[in-house]
Amino acid sequence: MDLGLSERTYVITSSTRGLGFAVARELVAEGARVVVTGRTSETVDKAVVRLGGEDRVLGVVADNAEAASAERVIDAALKRFGRLDGALAGAGGPEPGGATEFDDEQWRRSFESLFLGTIRLVRTAVSAMEEGGALGLVLSGTVREPVAGLALSNGLRPGLAMTAKELADELGPRGIRVFGLLPSQIDTERVLELDSLKGDPEAVRARNSAAIPLRRYGRAEEFGKVAAFLLSPAASYLTGLMVPVDGGALRHI
């Protein structure tokens, strides 16, 4: 299938590794131009090289929690590529822990990075997009059911999912689509770190895999392909939906 991504431009935040990087890689493979972001110049530069170089990839050092980051990233995309066709907002996973373990500052910091940073990117990207644009939010299975020990994610991501639904209503008349992605056990550094906090990582992985209908963790490229499709013109009649990429782990219809 031709996804229609050739020469289109997408901003992918928090994309120097993990799920964001996997999405950027699929977009570039399909002929798109991408802007990737990360917190350090070292990680950003490495990601640009791994994605094929500066011809089709622009790297921008940005922290989602900083108020000026969204505008700077979108401006860089327009200056370099002259257009913006979509954006995927990722912020990395907040630190694990229970709801009563975090103080006000930790909750506030996670809100700034995960929630408000996403809203800023969406608000800024929308002003630069025309009909046919697409906005994706990288969320998680915690949108639909809580995961023990991930209180910050449990608390903040459902709100973003509802905001995405609201945005789909607001932006639909302009021909701009909005969707959320709900990954669960995807084989990334983040998931491996979480597994290691629960004991023997191999035992935890085996236990988690047994609860997934496909009996395995997902691969980052599998997530990347789903995201690339949803961002593309090939998904032109899909908006306002939350798409689990979890091997069937969520039991909700």
Side-chain angles (χ1 to χ4, degrees):
M1 179 186 295
D2 181 2
L3 298 182
L5 287 168
S6 181
E7 302 308 312
R8 296 174 78 88
T9 300
Y10 295 89
V11 165
I12 315 295
T13 61
S14 297
S15 47
T16 58
R17 64 174 190 160
L19 299 180
F21 182 84
V23 176
R25 183 169 51 199
E26 294 299 331
L27 290 171
V28 171
E30 291 289 336
R33 301 172 297 191
V34 302
V35 178
V36 297
T37 76
R39 292 183 180 181
T40 70
S41 57
E42 180 181 6
T43 58
V44 168
D45 291 346
K46 285 182 178 179
V48 170
V49 171
R50 291 174 62 199
L51 289 168
E54 297 180 355
D55 218 25
R56 310 194 68 79
V57 185
L58 172 65
V60 179
V61 177
D63 185 337
N64 292 338
E66 294 179 359
S69 287
E71 186 172 353
R72 185 158 50 82
V73 170
I74 299 302
D75 285 348
L78 294 174
K79 183 177 181 181
R80 173 68 180 276
F81 297 121
R83 61 186 288 174
L84 181 67
D85 298 284
L88 186 70
E95 60 185 304
T100 60
E101 296 176 23
F102 299 111
D103 59 26
D104 286 1
E105 180 55 32
Q106 289 170 302
W107 276 101
R108 188 177 296 111
R109 189 166 59 246
S110 291
F111 176 80
E112 285 282 343
S113 177
L114 179 61
F115 195 99
L116 193 53
T118 297
I119 299 302
R120 290 192 191 106
L121 179 75
V122 167
R123 189 171 57 213
T124 309
V126 163
S127 67
M129 287 193 297
E130 300 180 355
E131 183 175 355
L135 290 166
L137 280 62
V138 180
L139 304 173
S140 83
T142 58
V143 162
R144 294 187 177 169
E145 56 186 35
V147 175
L150 293 182
L152 295 174
S153 183
N154 294 335
L156 296 173
R157 293 195 193 276
L160 282 172
M162 291 303 291
T163 303
K165 295 290 286 184
E166 165 70 16
L167 286 166
D169 289 342
E170 291 182 17
L171 301 176
R174 292 177 49 187
I176 296 174
R177 300 181 297 105
V178 186
F179 62 89
L181 289 159
L182 312 183
S184 183
Q185 302 295 341
I186 307 293
D187 201 357
T188 62
E189 292 179 31
R190 161 72 173 177
V191 170
L192 294 177
E193 290 169 1
L194 292 176
D195 285 354
S196 67
L197 296 176
K198 300 174 183 177
D200 177 7
E202 292 187 7
V204 172
R205 186 186 185 101
R207 185 168 62 250
N208 289 340
S209 296
I212 299 171
L214 290 181
R215 296 297 190 270
R216 65 176 176 84
Y217 281 19
R219 297 184 293 273
E221 59 266 29
E222 291 176 312
F223 178 89
K225 290 178 185 296
V226 174
F229 166 71
L230 289 170
L231 286 167
S232 79
S236 58
Y237 203 54
L238 297 179
T239 193
L241 72 168
M242 298 292 118
V243 180
V245 187
D246 64 358
L250 284 174
R251 295 300 191 265
H252 303 280
I253 295 176

